[in-house]
Amino acid sequence: MTGKLHSAPQCEIDPLRDGANDEGAPIILHPLVVLNVSDHYTRFAAIRLFPRISSRRSSTDVEKGIIPFAEDGKETRVLGILLGTQRGRMVEVCHSFELPARVTHEGRTEIEEAFMVRRIEQYQQIFAKYIVVGWYFIGDKITPEDKRLHAEVFTRLNEAPLLLVMNPTSKLSGSQVKLRAKGGAGPIVEPMKAPSQSAGLLTTYQMELKVMADKPTMTLAPVPHRYASEDSERIAVDHVMRHAVPGGGDGASSTTLHLNNLKRSINMLESRIKVIVAFLEATARGEIELNHSLLRQIGGVCARLPALDCAEFSAAFAEEKHDSMVVAYLSGVTKSICSLNEVVDMFNRFSDRATPVGGSRRRGPFPRQ
Amino acid sequence: MNSVDARRAFEIENDITQTTAQDDIRYFYDDQEQARLRERKPWSQDPNWFKDVHISAVALIKMAMHARSGGSIEIMGSMQGKVADRAFIVMDVFPLPVEGTETRVSAGQAASEFLVTYSTECNQVARRENIIGWYHSHPGYGCWLSGIDVQTQSSHQQYEDPFLAIVIDPVRTISAGKVDLGAFRTYPLQYKPPAEGMNEYQTIPLNKIEDFGVHCNSYYPLEVSYFKSTLDATLLDLLWNKYWARALSTSPLVQSKDYVVQQLTDISNKLKETEKQMEKGNPHGRGGYYLSDKKTLAGKGGGHLDQISKDAQKCCSEHVQSIMSMYIKNAMFSPSHMQN
């Protein structure tokens, strides 16, 4: 008995921990935030991409802050606030919103603070548990100006703000991404061949105290992040991942959808296992040096299998199975009652037509008691 | 390789911004075109003018999450977007601070103020889309408009057209594993819709069925589709690398346990109700007709029993689907239990 229990996992394994480098990373990003930032960028990019239309803008638009987004981010900047929760070192980024920001001639970024304060209040009315955890911007590197903003503006909102930098140009030059950029029309790129890390496209930074030349200085250091999502979020993300193509609806039944999802996940798992096997084989042949920490991790994963091999689980699983069968049975019974009812109905109607109107009108061949 | 393929290959190799531009054009808000459309008002002539709804990725995720965060309480929010020919394009949504109950939600004074401030300030961040509708949730009882919803929607359509209503069911979303969402527009009061077959059948709990039946002819559903930008597509691809394990590690069976029980209770209640009505429909206490007689139930589209059986089948197929994935996972991760 004890031996059985021993093989059960000690604690819940977080499935989204992926790869050694972000094991237990304290920064958790929700897909919504990533897509929200992307949406912010796309809207600005759309204004830039369609100069023919946007050139009709009057100068009053410019005063209102509607300035075409320039490639180097000179006129207006794509930046905003990250909202989420914070517990100790763990930061969970759940939501974001954009800020109006302009760059003056001296290169200073000016943020409309009244707007920022009001918007934060508005969000707290709805999501009472969210606080400001940091900020984001679109760009390819952190400039001294960004450091100033980080220290002067955002440190007032959170004593250790997080910075998320998205660099949409970094990956768009890759040929694989080109194929995908056709909006799903091109061949689907094998996920393993795509850039395995989103580093470069998305980077998170936090303040770090470093001693440089005997002086303590604050620098922005990259910190690893991982992804997590709620169930409804996962389903919605899955949904857009699969169905969001121009003009595409979902015709497939929910069972097909469900099984396909599962199949894709299993394929992914298989491809990962193949990588591990290839690595182990190469190590065994002596082609690569022994990497003890990696081997230890692989050993750890293997030791967890079979995942749940205890009497309690089999009992619970059998019970679950029986429940499902009962549900299926009930549904079958209901269906047969329905069909039977229809048959009785037809018989009654038929005999009704056969018998002339009279006292027996209400009695068919199957009278009810 | 035919000419289309050849052209596509050429485009891929040479000009990516071209395709990007084509795909992302709907992210651009052309206020003059919108103003022209709003002036022409083609929708005021034809009650069935709008046919489609396109929802952006962010909007869908925000709605799904917001609806879920309410639990069994209804939530409500506003949608920003534009119109294009016969379609609504929902670019973004934002939640409203409203006090909902388990059966209704309505916007009070505070919510209206919130809405006005929020949408006015959106101009400052180059969001110039107008409010084009509202969304709210029906936790566990399907996507349709109740009597109050019909009233709200038709008054919006009267004064703020073009306006769209979206209903989302977070409970069914979880149990079915796909977003359960419907988009609706109401007909004008005097308008009689063409008598056509009911749209896709859905389960409606017993205590709501009356509300549904009375109003189901005063609005019509729109075709819903979703879109994403090219950058979204790239990001989602990258995200999937981190994400796949999630589909293996969650079980819809465990999450929607309450809902299954609720569904079964509902089916049994409906059966009882049908039985009662059968007794009633049989004044002589002996012999006679079942209620599923088409004459007594004209306009209901099949008998009560027929509907109940459909509900049961749906519940069963969802359940079997979940247990199926449990089996697959069990086979994968604990092979020693396969002999069961």
PDB file of all heavy atoms in Angstrom, chain A residues 16 38 43 56 98 118 180 201 229 234 265 321 335 341 363 368, chain B residues 32 121 127 232 237-238 242-244 246 286-287 292 313 327:
ATOM      1  N   LEU A  16       2.661  23.533 -17.565  1.00  0.00           N
ATOM      2  CA  LEU A  16       3.164  24.579 -18.451  1.00  0.00           C
ATOM      3  C   LEU A  16       4.629  24.889 -18.207  1.00  0.00           C
ATOM      4  O   LEU A  16       5.219  25.676 -18.912  1.00  0.00           O
ATOM      5  CB  LEU A  16       2.325  25.845 -18.299  1.00  0.00           C
ATOM      6  CG  LEU A  16       0.962  25.721 -18.983  1.00  0.00           C
ATOM      7  CD1 LEU A  16       0.110  26.901 -18.670  1.00  0.00           C
ATOM      8  CD2 LEU A  16       1.123  25.556 -20.466  1.00  0.00           C
ATOM      9  N   SER A  38      -0.238  42.452 -28.858  1.00  0.00           N
ATOM     10  CA  SER A  38      -0.154  42.255 -30.297  1.00  0.00           C
ATOM     11  C   SER A  38      -1.241  43.048 -31.019  1.00  0.00           C
ATOM     12  O   SER A  38      -1.013  43.644 -32.072  1.00  0.00           O
ATOM     13  CB  SER A  38      -0.269  40.765 -30.602  1.00  0.00           C
ATOM     14  OG  SER A  38      -0.868  40.539 -31.831  1.00  0.00           O
ATOM     15  N   ARG A  43      -2.951  47.449 -34.523  1.00  0.00           N
ATOM     16  CA  ARG A  43      -3.772  48.609 -34.859  1.00  0.00           C
ATOM     17  C   ARG A  43      -2.908  49.789 -35.283  1.00  0.00           C
ATOM     18  O   ARG A  43      -3.235  50.510 -36.216  1.00  0.00           O
ATOM     19  CB  ARG A  43      -4.665  48.977 -33.670  1.00  0.00           C
ATOM     20  CG  ARG A  43      -5.984  48.208 -33.715  1.00  0.00           C
ATOM     21  CD  ARG A  43      -6.934  48.604 -32.638  1.00  0.00           C
ATOM     22  NE  ARG A  43      -6.440  48.226 -31.330  1.00  0.00           N
ATOM     23  CZ  ARG A  43      -6.006  49.065 -30.420  1.00  0.00           C
ATOM     24  NH1 ARG A  43      -6.023  50.371 -30.665  1.00  0.00           N
ATOM     25  NH2 ARG A  43      -5.566  48.647 -29.276  1.00  0.00           N
ATOM     26  N   ARG A  56      -5.322  61.292 -45.228  1.00  0.00           N
ATOM     27  CA  ARG A  56      -6.458  62.212 -45.236  1.00  0.00           C
ATOM     28  C   ARG A  56      -6.706  62.829 -43.864  1.00  0.00           C
ATOM     29  O   ARG A  56      -7.561  63.669 -43.714  1.00  0.00           O
ATOM     30  CB  ARG A  56      -7.722  61.461 -45.674  1.00  0.00           C
ATOM     31  CG  ARG A  56      -7.661  60.946 -47.084  1.00  0.00           C
ATOM     32  CD  ARG A  56      -9.054  60.693 -47.597  1.00  0.00           C
ATOM     33  NE  ARG A  56      -9.793  59.812 -46.692  1.00  0.00           N
ATOM     34  CZ  ARG A  56     -10.152  58.560 -47.013  1.00  0.00           C
ATOM     35  NH1 ARG A  56      -9.838  58.073 -48.181  1.00  0.00           N
ATOM     36  NH2 ARG A  56     -10.814  57.838 -46.173  1.00  0.00           N
ATOM     37  N   GLU A  98      -3.677  49.955 -22.996  1.00  0.00           N
ATOM     38  CA  GLU A  98      -2.701  50.826 -23.629  1.00  0.00           C
ATOM     39  C   GLU A  98      -2.734  52.226 -23.011  1.00  0.00           C
ATOM     40  O   GLU A  98      -3.711  52.622 -22.390  1.00  0.00           O
ATOM     41  CB  GLU A  98      -2.926  50.912 -25.128  1.00  0.00           C
ATOM     42  CG  GLU A  98      -4.308  51.326 -25.519  1.00  0.00           C
ATOM     43  CD  GLU A  98      -5.200  50.137 -25.783  1.00  0.00           C
ATOM     44  OE1 GLU A  98      -5.504  49.389 -24.849  1.00  0.00           O
ATOM     45  OE2 GLU A  98      -5.591  49.952 -26.926  1.00  0.00           O
ATOM     46  N   ARG A 118      -6.915  57.278 -14.239  1.00  0.00           N
ATOM     47  CA  ARG A 118      -8.347  57.022 -14.352  1.00  0.00           C
ATOM     48  C   ARG A 118      -8.601  55.589 -14.850  1.00  0.00           C
ATOM     49  O   ARG A 118      -9.466  54.878 -14.360  1.00  0.00           O
ATOM     50  CB  ARG A 118      -8.973  58.024 -15.310  1.00  0.00           C
ATOM     51  CG  ARG A 118     -10.397  58.345 -14.962  1.00  0.00           C
ATOM     52  CD  ARG A 118     -10.870  59.654 -15.553  1.00  0.00           C
ATOM     53  NE  ARG A 118     -10.335  59.927 -16.862  1.00  0.00           N
ATOM     54  CZ  ARG A 118      -9.588  60.984 -17.143  1.00  0.00           C
ATOM     55  NH1 ARG A 118      -9.269  61.857 -16.219  1.00  0.00           N
ATOM     56  NH2 ARG A 118      -9.142  61.182 -18.367  1.00  0.00           N
ATOM     57  N   ARG A 180       3.597  30.912 -42.358  1.00  0.00           N
ATOM     58  CA  ARG A 180       2.447  31.013 -41.484  1.00  0.00           C
ATOM     59  C   ARG A 180       1.738  32.352 -41.666  1.00  0.00           C
ATOM     60  O   ARG A 180       0.550  32.445 -41.447  1.00  0.00           O
ATOM     61  CB  ARG A 180       2.861  30.877 -40.015  1.00  0.00           C
ATOM     62  CG  ARG A 180       3.260  29.487 -39.665  1.00  0.00           C
ATOM     63  CD  ARG A 180       2.126  28.527 -39.874  1.00  0.00           C
ATOM     64  NE  ARG A 180       1.103  28.709 -38.861  1.00  0.00           N
ATOM     65  CZ  ARG A 180      -0.073  28.125 -38.925  1.00  0.00           C
ATOM     66  NH1 ARG A 180      -0.360  27.366 -39.946  1.00  0.00           N
ATOM     67  NH2 ARG A 180      -0.954  28.291 -37.979  1.00  0.00           N
ATOM     68  N   LEU A 201      11.118  37.762 -29.415  1.00  0.00           N
ATOM     69  CA  LEU A 201       9.796  38.285 -29.715  1.00  0.00           C
ATOM     70  C   LEU A 201       9.181  38.870 -28.452  1.00  0.00           C
ATOM     71  O   LEU A 201       8.587  39.941 -28.459  1.00  0.00           O
ATOM     72  CB  LEU A 201       8.929  37.157 -30.276  1.00  0.00           C
ATOM     73  CG  LEU A 201       7.617  37.534 -30.931  1.00  0.00           C
ATOM     74  CD1 LEU A 201       7.850  38.519 -32.053  1.00  0.00           C
ATOM     75  CD2 LEU A 201       6.945  36.293 -31.474  1.00  0.00           C
ATOM     76  N   SER A 229      -2.894  29.643 -18.078  1.00  0.00           N
ATOM     77  CA  SER A 229      -4.180  30.167 -18.522  1.00  0.00           C
ATOM     78  C   SER A 229      -5.310  29.523 -17.743  1.00  0.00           C
ATOM     79  O   SER A 229      -5.177  28.418 -17.225  1.00  0.00           O
ATOM     80  CB  SER A 229      -4.379  29.915 -20.011  1.00  0.00           C
ATOM     81  OG  SER A 229      -4.250  28.546 -20.265  1.00  0.00           O
ATOM     82  N   ARG A 234      -8.073  29.051 -22.105  1.00  0.00           N
ATOM     83  CA  ARG A 234      -7.461  28.022 -22.934  1.00  0.00           C
ATOM     84  C   ARG A 234      -8.386  27.633 -24.081  1.00  0.00           C
ATOM     85  O   ARG A 234      -7.964  27.514 -25.232  1.00  0.00           O
ATOM     86  CB  ARG A 234      -7.169  26.789 -22.089  1.00  0.00           C
ATOM     87  CG  ARG A 234      -6.605  25.607 -22.853  1.00  0.00           C
ATOM     88  CD  ARG A 234      -6.411  24.433 -21.932  1.00  0.00           C
ATOM     89  NE  ARG A 234      -7.642  24.003 -21.306  1.00  0.00           N
ATOM     90  CZ  ARG A 234      -8.501  23.132 -21.851  1.00  0.00           C
ATOM     91  NH1 ARG A 234      -8.234  22.618 -23.027  1.00  0.00           N
ATOM     92  NH2 ARG A 234      -9.592  22.789 -21.231  1.00  0.00           N
ATOM     93  N   SER A 265      -1.916  17.242 -29.305  1.00  0.00           N
ATOM     94  CA  SER A 265      -1.111  17.273 -28.090  1.00  0.00           C
ATOM     95  C   SER A 265      -0.248  16.024 -27.977  1.00  0.00           C
ATOM     96  O   SER A 265       0.917  16.099 -27.596  1.00  0.00           O
ATOM     97  CB  SER A 265      -2.000  17.377 -26.863  1.00  0.00           C
ATOM     98  OG  SER A 265      -2.579  18.629 -26.801  1.00  0.00           O
ATOM     99  N   LYS A 321     -16.132   5.672 -14.795  1.00  0.00           N
ATOM    100  CA  LYS A 321     -16.538   4.932 -15.984  1.00  0.00           C
ATOM    101  C   LYS A 321     -17.991   4.483 -15.842  1.00  0.00           C
ATOM    102  O   LYS A 321     -18.803   4.638 -16.760  1.00  0.00           O
ATOM    103  CB  LYS A 321     -15.620   3.720 -16.159  1.00  0.00           C
ATOM    104  CG  LYS A 321     -15.771   3.034 -17.497  1.00  0.00           C
ATOM    105  CD  LYS A 321     -14.767   1.923 -17.641  1.00  0.00           C
ATOM    106  CE  LYS A 321     -15.213   0.698 -16.898  1.00  0.00           C
ATOM    107  NZ  LYS A 321     -14.270  -0.433 -17.001  1.00  0.00           N
ATOM    108  N   LYS A 335     -34.259   7.932 -25.088  1.00  0.00           N
ATOM    109  CA  LYS A 335     -34.436   7.886 -26.538  1.00  0.00           C
ATOM    110  C   LYS A 335     -35.446   6.793 -26.918  1.00  0.00           C
ATOM    111  O   LYS A 335     -36.312   6.996 -27.776  1.00  0.00           O
ATOM    112  CB  LYS A 335     -33.067   7.628 -27.182  1.00  0.00           C
ATOM    113  CG  LYS A 335     -33.116   7.373 -28.660  1.00  0.00           C
ATOM    114  CD  LYS A 335     -32.705   8.575 -29.445  1.00  0.00           C
ATOM    115  CE  LYS A 335     -32.673   8.215 -30.917  1.00  0.00           C
ATOM    116  NZ  LYS A 335     -32.912   9.295 -31.800  1.00  0.00           N
ATOM    117  N   ASN A 341     -42.996   6.053 -27.801  1.00  0.00           N
ATOM    118  CA  ASN A 341     -44.109   6.989 -27.727  1.00  0.00           C
ATOM    119  C   ASN A 341     -44.607   7.335 -29.116  1.00  0.00           C
ATOM    120  O   ASN A 341     -45.799   7.396 -29.373  1.00  0.00           O
ATOM    121  CB  ASN A 341     -43.659   8.235 -26.987  1.00  0.00           C
ATOM    122  CG  ASN A 341     -44.790   9.202 -26.804  1.00  0.00           C
ATOM    123  OD1 ASN A 341     -45.856   8.816 -26.330  1.00  0.00           O
ATOM    124  ND2 ASN A 341     -44.575  10.437 -27.193  1.00  0.00           N
ATOM    125  N   ARG A 363     -60.201   5.999 -27.255  1.00  0.00           N
ATOM    126  CA  ARG A 363     -59.477   4.793 -26.897  1.00  0.00           C
ATOM    127  C   ARG A 363     -58.780   4.198 -28.118  1.00  0.00           C
ATOM    128  O   ARG A 363     -59.411   3.849 -29.107  1.00  0.00           O
ATOM    129  CB  ARG A 363     -60.438   3.772 -26.309  1.00  0.00           C
ATOM    130  CG  ARG A 363     -59.724   2.666 -25.541  1.00  0.00           C
ATOM    131  CD  ARG A 363     -60.717   1.776 -24.850  1.00  0.00           C
ATOM    132  NE  ARG A 363     -61.535   2.518 -23.910  1.00  0.00           N
ATOM    133  CZ  ARG A 363     -62.843   2.323 -23.803  1.00  0.00           C
ATOM    134  NH1 ARG A 363     -63.447   1.496 -24.601  1.00  0.00           N
ATOM    135  NH2 ARG A 363     -63.526   2.981 -22.913  1.00  0.00           N
ATOM    136  N   ARG A 368     -54.126   3.954 -21.934  1.00  0.00           N
ATOM    137  CA  ARG A 368     -53.307   4.119 -20.732  1.00  0.00           C
ATOM    138  C   ARG A 368     -54.162   3.946 -19.494  1.00  0.00           C
ATOM    139  O   ARG A 368     -55.317   4.307 -19.486  1.00  0.00           O
ATOM    140  CB  ARG A 368     -52.701   5.517 -20.709  1.00  0.00           C
ATOM    141  CG  ARG A 368     -51.301   5.569 -21.279  1.00  0.00           C
ATOM    142  CD  ARG A 368     -50.911   7.001 -21.367  1.00  0.00           C
ATOM    143  NE  ARG A 368     -51.258   7.655 -20.092  1.00  0.00           N
ATOM    144  CZ  ARG A 368     -50.337   8.112 -19.260  1.00  0.00           C
ATOM    145  NH1 ARG A 368     -49.085   8.006 -19.516  1.00  0.00           N
ATOM    146  NH2 ARG A 368     -50.699   8.713 -18.161  1.00  0.00           N
TER     147      ARG A 368
ATOM    148  N   GLN B  32     -14.116  57.827 -42.197  1.00  0.00           N
ATOM    149  CA  GLN B  32     -14.973  58.453 -43.216  1.00  0.00           C
ATOM    150  C   GLN B  32     -15.913  57.439 -43.849  1.00  0.00           C
ATOM    151  O   GLN B  32     -17.086  57.721 -44.079  1.00  0.00           O
ATOM    152  CB  GLN B  32     -14.090  59.113 -44.267  1.00  0.00           C
ATOM    153  CG  GLN B  32     -13.245  60.197 -43.635  1.00  0.00           C
ATOM    154  CD  GLN B  32     -12.389  60.935 -44.616  1.00  0.00           C
ATOM    155  OE1 GLN B  32     -12.394  60.648 -45.810  1.00  0.00           O
ATOM    156  NE2 GLN B  32     -11.632  61.894 -44.122  1.00  0.00           N
ATOM    157  N   GLU B 121     -12.570  58.118 -23.772  1.00  0.00           N
ATOM    158  CA  GLU B 121     -11.120  58.176 -23.580  1.00  0.00           C
ATOM    159  C   GLU B 121     -10.373  57.264 -24.542  1.00  0.00           C
ATOM    160  O   GLU B 121      -9.176  57.423 -24.727  1.00  0.00           O
ATOM    161  CB  GLU B 121     -10.782  57.805 -22.142  1.00  0.00           C
ATOM    162  CG  GLU B 121     -11.092  58.941 -21.190  1.00  0.00           C
ATOM    163  CD  GLU B 121     -10.774  58.574 -19.764  1.00  0.00           C
ATOM    164  OE1 GLU B 121     -10.495  57.401 -19.514  1.00  0.00           O
ATOM    165  OE2 GLU B 121     -10.807  59.480 -18.926  1.00  0.00           O
ATOM    166  N   ARG B 127      -7.983  54.483 -30.519  1.00  0.00           N
ATOM    167  CA  ARG B 127      -9.082  53.551 -30.729  1.00  0.00           C
ATOM    168  C   ARG B 127     -10.278  54.391 -31.094  1.00  0.00           C
ATOM    169  O   ARG B 127     -10.870  55.037 -30.242  1.00  0.00           O
ATOM    170  CB  ARG B 127      -9.420  52.841 -29.429  1.00  0.00           C
ATOM    171  CG  ARG B 127      -8.644  51.613 -29.145  1.00  0.00           C
ATOM    172  CD  ARG B 127      -9.203  51.014 -27.872  1.00  0.00           C
ATOM    173  NE  ARG B 127      -8.296  50.035 -27.314  1.00  0.00           N
ATOM    174  CZ  ARG B 127      -8.239  48.785 -27.734  1.00  0.00           C
ATOM    175  NH1 ARG B 127      -9.031  48.357 -28.674  1.00  0.00           N
ATOM    176  NH2 ARG B 127      -7.396  47.937 -27.194  1.00  0.00           N
ATOM    177  N   ASP B 232      -0.672  37.983 -34.420  1.00  0.00           N
ATOM    178  CA  ASP B 232      -1.370  37.055 -33.526  1.00  0.00           C
ATOM    179  C   ASP B 232      -1.065  35.621 -33.930  1.00  0.00           C
ATOM    180  O   ASP B 232      -0.795  34.769 -33.082  1.00  0.00           O
ATOM    181  CB  ASP B 232      -2.891  37.245 -33.608  1.00  0.00           C
ATOM    182  CG  ASP B 232      -3.347  38.496 -32.898  1.00  0.00           C
ATOM    183  OD1 ASP B 232      -2.527  39.079 -32.171  1.00  0.00           O
ATOM    184  OD2 ASP B 232      -4.509  38.883 -33.070  1.00  0.00           O
ATOM    185  N   ASP B 237       1.334  30.541 -32.644  1.00  0.00           N
ATOM    186  CA  ASP B 237       2.180  29.398 -32.986  1.00  0.00           C
ATOM    187  C   ASP B 237       3.234  29.164 -31.917  1.00  0.00           C
ATOM    188  O   ASP B 237       3.493  28.040 -31.510  1.00  0.00           O
ATOM    189  CB  ASP B 237       2.886  29.654 -34.323  1.00  0.00           C
ATOM    190  CG  ASP B 237       2.096  29.056 -35.455  1.00  0.00           C
ATOM    191  OD1 ASP B 237       1.017  28.522 -35.176  1.00  0.00           O
ATOM    192  OD2 ASP B 237       2.565  29.128 -36.589  1.00  0.00           O
ATOM    193  N   LEU B 238       3.857  30.264 -31.499  1.00  0.00           N
ATOM    194  CA  LEU B 238       4.888  30.139 -30.483  1.00  0.00           C
ATOM    195  C   LEU B 238       4.290  29.672 -29.168  1.00  0.00           C
ATOM    196  O   LEU B 238       4.865  28.873 -28.445  1.00  0.00           O
ATOM    197  CB  LEU B 238       5.586  31.492 -30.277  1.00  0.00           C
ATOM    198  CG  LEU B 238       6.447  31.947 -31.436  1.00  0.00           C
ATOM    199  CD1 LEU B 238       6.856  33.387 -31.256  1.00  0.00           C
ATOM    200  CD2 LEU B 238       7.676  31.065 -31.543  1.00  0.00           C
ATOM    201  N   LYS B 242       4.290  26.008 -25.960  1.00  0.00           N
ATOM    202  CA  LYS B 242       4.280  25.955 -24.506  1.00  0.00           C
ATOM    203  C   LYS B 242       2.971  25.381 -24.004  1.00  0.00           C
ATOM    204  O   LYS B 242       2.772  25.209 -22.824  1.00  0.00           O
ATOM    205  CB  LYS B 242       4.387  27.382 -23.954  1.00  0.00           C
ATOM    206  CG  LYS B 242       5.575  28.127 -24.431  1.00  0.00           C
ATOM    207  CD  LYS B 242       6.635  28.102 -23.376  1.00  0.00           C
ATOM    208  CE  LYS B 242       7.886  28.761 -23.902  1.00  0.00           C
ATOM    209  NZ  LYS B 242       9.017  28.483 -23.052  1.00  0.00           N
ATOM    210  N   TYR B 243       2.060  25.112 -24.888  1.00  0.00           N
ATOM    211  CA  TYR B 243       0.671  25.064 -24.528  1.00  0.00           C
ATOM    212  C   TYR B 243       0.067  23.694 -24.634  1.00  0.00           C
ATOM    213  O   TYR B 243      -0.937  23.396 -24.030  1.00  0.00           O
ATOM    214  CB  TYR B 243      -0.060  25.990 -25.509  1.00  0.00           C
ATOM    215  CG  TYR B 243      -1.135  26.794 -24.877  1.00  0.00           C
ATOM    216  CD1 TYR B 243      -0.789  27.810 -24.019  1.00  0.00           C
ATOM    217  CD2 TYR B 243      -2.472  26.535 -25.122  1.00  0.00           C
ATOM    218  CE1 TYR B 243      -1.760  28.556 -23.412  1.00  0.00           C
ATOM    219  CE2 TYR B 243      -3.436  27.279 -24.509  1.00  0.00           C
ATOM    220  CZ  TYR B 243      -3.080  28.287 -23.665  1.00  0.00           C
ATOM    221  OH  TYR B 243      -4.038  29.034 -23.065  1.00  0.00           O
ATOM    222  N   TRP B 244       0.673  22.862 -25.460  1.00  0.00           N
ATOM    223  CA  TRP B 244       0.052  21.608 -25.835  1.00  0.00           C
ATOM    224  C   TRP B 244      -0.247  20.729 -24.642  1.00  0.00           C
ATOM    225  O   TRP B 244      -1.233  19.993 -24.629  1.00  0.00           O
ATOM    226  CB  TRP B 244       0.965  20.880 -26.815  1.00  0.00           C
ATOM    227  CG  TRP B 244       2.341  20.670 -26.282  1.00  0.00           C
ATOM    228  CD1 TRP B 244       3.365  21.558 -26.339  1.00  0.00           C
ATOM    229  CD2 TRP B 244       2.831  19.542 -25.583  1.00  0.00           C
ATOM    230  NE1 TRP B 244       4.471  21.054 -25.720  1.00  0.00           N
ATOM    231  CE2 TRP B 244       4.174  19.811 -25.252  1.00  0.00           C
ATOM    232  CE3 TRP B 244       2.283  18.324 -25.214  1.00  0.00           C
ATOM    233  CZ2 TRP B 244       4.962  18.923 -24.552  1.00  0.00           C
ATOM    234  CZ3 TRP B 244       3.068  17.429 -24.511  1.00  0.00           C
ATOM    235  CH2 TRP B 244       4.400  17.735 -24.188  1.00  0.00           C
ATOM    236  N   ARG B 246      -1.398  21.349 -21.918  1.00  0.00           N
ATOM    237  CA  ARG B 246      -2.627  21.720 -21.233  1.00  0.00           C
ATOM    238  C   ARG B 246      -3.805  20.837 -21.663  1.00  0.00           C
ATOM    239  O   ARG B 246      -4.624  20.455 -20.845  1.00  0.00           O
ATOM    240  CB  ARG B 246      -2.910  23.183 -21.549  1.00  0.00           C
ATOM    241  CG  ARG B 246      -3.911  23.825 -20.658  1.00  0.00           C
ATOM    242  CD  ARG B 246      -3.324  24.124 -19.320  1.00  0.00           C
ATOM    243  NE  ARG B 246      -4.405  24.618 -18.470  1.00  0.00           N
ATOM    244  CZ  ARG B 246      -4.290  24.849 -17.197  1.00  0.00           C
ATOM    245  NH1 ARG B 246      -3.154  24.632 -16.598  1.00  0.00           N
ATOM    246  NH2 ARG B 246      -5.304  25.301 -16.506  1.00  0.00           N
ATOM    247  N   ARG B 286     -58.543   7.530 -18.477  1.00  0.00           N
ATOM    248  CA  ARG B 286     -58.168   6.240 -19.060  1.00  0.00           C
ATOM    249  C   ARG B 286     -58.036   6.410 -20.578  1.00  0.00           C
ATOM    250  O   ARG B 286     -58.738   7.218 -21.190  1.00  0.00           O
ATOM    251  CB  ARG B 286     -59.216   5.176 -18.738  1.00  0.00           C
ATOM    252  CG  ARG B 286     -60.577   5.527 -19.296  1.00  0.00           C
ATOM    253  CD  ARG B 286     -61.638   4.592 -18.776  1.00  0.00           C
ATOM    254  NE  ARG B 286     -62.956   5.109 -19.170  1.00  0.00           N
ATOM    255  CZ  ARG B 286     -63.528   4.846 -20.344  1.00  0.00           C
ATOM    256  NH1 ARG B 286     -62.935   4.100 -21.221  1.00  0.00           N
ATOM    257  NH2 ARG B 286     -64.702   5.352 -20.638  1.00  0.00           N
ATOM    258  N   GLY B 287     -57.169   5.657 -21.127  1.00  0.00           N
ATOM    259  CA  GLY B 287     -56.948   5.698 -22.575  1.00  0.00           C
ATOM    260  C   GLY B 287     -56.573   7.087 -23.054  1.00  0.00           C
ATOM    261  O   GLY B 287     -56.539   8.040 -22.295  1.00  0.00           O
ATOM    262  N   SER B 292     -47.318  14.124 -27.136  1.00  0.00           N
ATOM    263  CA  SER B 292     -46.488  14.374 -28.310  1.00  0.00           C
ATOM    264  C   SER B 292     -47.325  14.435 -29.584  1.00  0.00           C
ATOM    265  O   SER B 292     -46.777  14.596 -30.670  1.00  0.00           O
ATOM    266  CB  SER B 292     -45.434  13.291 -28.447  1.00  0.00           C
ATOM    267  OG  SER B 292     -46.070  12.086 -28.791  1.00  0.00           O
ATOM    268  N   GLN B 313     -29.316  13.040 -25.220  1.00  0.00           N
ATOM    269  CA  GLN B 313     -28.250  12.603 -26.124  1.00  0.00           C
ATOM    270  C   GLN B 313     -27.064  13.538 -26.080  1.00  0.00           C
ATOM    271  O   GLN B 313     -25.912  13.120 -26.089  1.00  0.00           O
ATOM    272  CB  GLN B 313     -28.777  12.557 -27.554  1.00  0.00           C
ATOM    273  CG  GLN B 313     -29.525  11.304 -27.882  1.00  0.00           C
ATOM    274  CD  GLN B 313     -30.156  11.422 -29.237  1.00  0.00           C
ATOM    275  OE1 GLN B 313     -29.493  11.710 -30.214  1.00  0.00           O
ATOM    276  NE2 GLN B 313     -31.450  11.231 -29.293  1.00  0.00           N
ATOM    277  N   TYR B 327      -9.732   7.785 -21.089  1.00  0.00           N
ATOM    278  CA  TYR B 327      -9.213   6.477 -21.461  1.00  0.00           C
ATOM    279  C   TYR B 327      -7.897   6.585 -22.213  1.00  0.00           C
ATOM    280  O   TYR B 327      -6.952   5.848 -21.957  1.00  0.00           O
ATOM    281  CB  TYR B 327     -10.247   5.727 -22.307  1.00  0.00           C
ATOM    282  CG  TYR B 327     -11.037   4.750 -21.481  1.00  0.00           C
ATOM    283  CD1 TYR B 327     -12.166   5.157 -20.806  1.00  0.00           C
ATOM    284  CD2 TYR B 327     -10.621   3.436 -21.346  1.00  0.00           C
ATOM    285  CE1 TYR B 327     -12.875   4.278 -20.014  1.00  0.00           C
ATOM    286  CE2 TYR B 327     -11.310   2.556 -20.557  1.00  0.00           C
ATOM    287  CZ  TYR B 327     -12.449   2.978 -19.897  1.00  0.00           C
ATOM    288  OH  TYR B 327     -13.123   2.105 -19.105  1.00  0.00           O
TER     289      TYR B 327
END
